[in-house]
Structures are given as structure tokens and as C-alpha cells.
Amino acid sequence: MSQWPRYEVFQQDKEGRPHQNAGSVHAPDAEMALQNARDVFVRRPNCLSLWVVPAAAIFAKTAQELAEDDTWQEELDSNTDQETYYVFQKQSQRRAMTYVTHVGEVEASSPAQALQRALQKYKGGTPYVWWVCPARAIFRSETADVESMFAPAHDKTFRMPNEYRVVAQMYEIRQGE
């Protein structure tokens, strides 16, 4: 293997809003993935919470895959041990709407069963993508760490384009030549 495992990153920007997929990072473990996610995706925007999930823990199907092939349902496990799975959907094909959004939870004994239950429970609309993952696979930022992890970016002057006085400085340098 030539790369570290890939983690999908979910961020919540305001209280009461769902977590949305922001992209992915590679890291040797979940803790480093969370730090990488903060550095890559939360340098400027508001953020209250970050989740990282190993991409391998996500069971994903597109609407097209669901319509064309139901063999994934053969993977239904008769195991009686139930656990919580988080359910995510991409609900639009608009270019501006690229997010896979957390919509809720289901109890299931396997990823395939979780998806089957999610399809029944969250059948409103026409989702284009479905993701389910076990809640135990999610590594989360701590509420107590919000200030130290996310707040510092708000008061750093270098984050604003108008703080870069490059054009004026280049003019001054050229005048001195």
C-alpha cells in the first residue's frame, strides 16, 4: 500500500444544521485525519463540529445502482446484534449542491440492512447517493475543543485577501529599480 487510508470528512457549520461531506483526507489514523481535516477544510469557514470516517467503513450506492442491481440485498446479515448506522444522502444534482448530508440514523446488523432500512425510513425526495456507516466508525471533534480547534482562524488577518498588500509593494519595488 503506497498511501495512508482515506477518510471522508463531515463538517457542521452552525448549530442545528446537519453534518455535510466536505471532502476527504489521507491519514495514518483517525486522530491525524481529524487534524488534517481541520487544516484542509476549516481554515476559513465556520465550523462547530468535524467528523472523519474511514472511507472503507462507508457502504455507498447511487440511485442508478439501486435501480439497476439489487444483488447488494443478498448481503443482508441475519446476525441479531444491532448497532446504530448513520445515514447520508446527496439530494440534488445541482452543481452548487455537491454535499452528502447526514439525514438520520437506523439500527441494523449489517451495512446492507442499514441501507435497506434507510431506504424505507428516508424515502422522501429523490436522493442521488446513499451512504451508511456504523456510528462507531465516526471519529468526532469534542465540543470542549471547539474554541481551540476552530476559533483561531477567525481573527487571523492573513486569511483576508485585502491583507495581502502585494500589488502596492510590487509597485514600490519597481519604482525603486
Side-chain angles (χ1 to χ4, degrees):
M1 181 158 112
S2 64
Q3 288 188 353
W4 287 332
R6 183 170 53 95
Y7 288 80
E8 290 296 331
V9 178
F10 297 87
Q11 71 182 62
Q12 180 186 35
D13 60 356
K14 291 186 180 174
E15 189 74 37
R17 288 202 178 157
H19 283 76
Q20 293 184 317
N21 180 248
S24 61
V25 295
H26 290 268
D29 58 38
E31 189 170 343
M32 183 60 78
L34 189 64
Q35 294 299 320
N36 289 350
R38 184 202 57 181
D39 293 346
V40 172
F41 298 107
V42 191
R43 289 178 36 213
R44 290 180 181 87
N46 288 334
C47 186
L48 289 178
S49 172
L50 273 180
W51 295 348
V52 292
V53 182
I58 297 173
F59 185 70
K61 294 288 179 189
T62 65
Q64 183 177 355
E65 289 172 327
L66 292 172
E68 294 175 355
D69 180 21
D70 65 352
T71 58
W72 63 272
Q73 293 188 39
E74 295 170 3
E75 299 173 23
L76 294 178
D77 189 0
S78 60
N79 183 358
T80 57
D81 293 338
Q82 302 278 302
E83 67 177 307
T84 302
Y85 282 80
Y86 280 30
V87 179
F88 301 86
Q89 296 176 341
K90 180 179 180 193
Q91 301 167 336
S92 172
Q93 288 288 60
R94 291 188 330 231
R95 197 178 302 190
M97 174 58 178
T98 60
Y99 303 110
V100 177
T101 303
H102 177 239
V103 294
E105 303 171 3
V106 295
E107 295 292 320
S109 60
S110 70
Q113 186 180 62
L115 180 57
Q116 185 181 52
R117 290 184 177 173
L119 289 167
Q120 294 167 353
K121 186 173 180 179
Y122 303 104
K123 56 186 165 192
T126 54
Y128 293 92
V129 175
W130 290 87
W131 286 0
V132 294
C133 72
R136 64 179 157 69
I138 298 174
F139 190 77
R140 312 164 199 290
S141 60
E142 298 292 329
T143 305
D145 295 336
V146 169
E147 190 67 27
S148 64
M149 274 190 77
F150 309 128
H154 292 291
D155 61 359
K156 292 182 179 176
T157 56
F158 66 82
R159 72 185 202 92
M160 303 302 290
N162 60 352
E163 295 298 324
Y164 296 101
R165 309 268 187 243
V166 176
V167 174
Q169 290 173 348
M170 291 303 293
Y171 181 75
E172 290 173 11
I173 290 169
R174 286 187 185 143
Q175 293 299 322
E177 292 179 348

